[in-house]
Amino acid sequence: MDDRHVKRYEDLAATLRRRIEDGTYPAGSQLPTVQQLTEEHGVAVVTVQAALRALRREGLVDSGQGRRSRVLGKRVIISHSASYLAQDGDGRQSLTWAQHMASLGMRGDQILGHVGEAPAPEDIAEHLDVEPGDPVILRGRDMIADGEVVELADSWYPLGIASGTGLAQRRLVRGGLPAVLAERGLRAVEVEEIVTSPVPGPEACERLRITPDDRVLCKVRVYYAEEGRAVAVDVSTMRADRHELRYRLPVH
């Protein structure tokens, strides 16, 4: 990519960014088509496409194959690490996805995917201390904010923990993992989180309506009970333009 092309798409991106910020293109509205932008600004199609990709990476617009770019609102999903571990007096998870979204002024929904036994992938098997391919319980969900899928959440459990419980059934589980662990006489005493920013694969691109150029955050959370036994692994693939992870940790 030569310097002139870079400057042209950066200039166009700056122009569109100013129009979004000053309300010329308000949140929820559609930007002009690629053809309209090429004619208005006297640039090539590839320049317009590069400018739109830059705005999408910044979380300002949402676009996809065959549809016009839409201006996103500024609302970002802020997640505090402790919020997913908080429990009420009965040992139940106190903050649901819908409640979390409501606290941020958004409507939260979720769609269940595969729920039931599945072979453990190699990385999950390592965390759960089973052999790759051994049966475990998988609970997959598409997490939705204001009608848009913003996170893919896959939870993996050992058979001895989840079999015969609501975690292995296609229904919402009141109290979530803490309640199920309490029924087993267990509780999570430690959590490890691993956060990476991989290139999204084809399935993630399709379900999150993004492209391989977009950024995602992948958060792997491993729950440990007493004696270091792993009792669950959550794998969350999140649109980076819609999520902000915050951590407040004690200083030792």
Side-chain angles (χ1 to χ4, degrees), residues 85-88 90-94 161 165-167 173-188:
L85 305 177
Q87 300 177 17
D88 61 21
D90 296 325
R92 298 182 180 277
Q93 185 173 326
S94 61
I161 296 292
T165 74
L167 295 175
V173 183
R174 185 175 183 274
L177 175 63
V180 172
L181 290 179
E183 293 172 359
R184 302 291 195 193
L186 299 169
R187 69 183 181 91

Side-chain angles (χ1 to χ4, degrees), residues 10 28 31 34 42 60 62 71 75 82 84 87 97 109 126 138 140 142 157 169 173-174 186 189-190 204 206 223 234:
E10 288 180 343
L31 294 183
V34 171
L60 293 176
D62 175 34
V71 179
R75 290 182 294 185
Y84 283 85
Q87 300 177 17
W97 173 259
D109 300 291
E126 182 177 356
L138 166 62
D142 286 0
Y157 310 101
Q169 301 171 17
V173 183
R174 185 175 183 274
L186 299 169
V189 298
E190 188 176 29
E206 180 179 357
Y223 297 83
D234 289 341

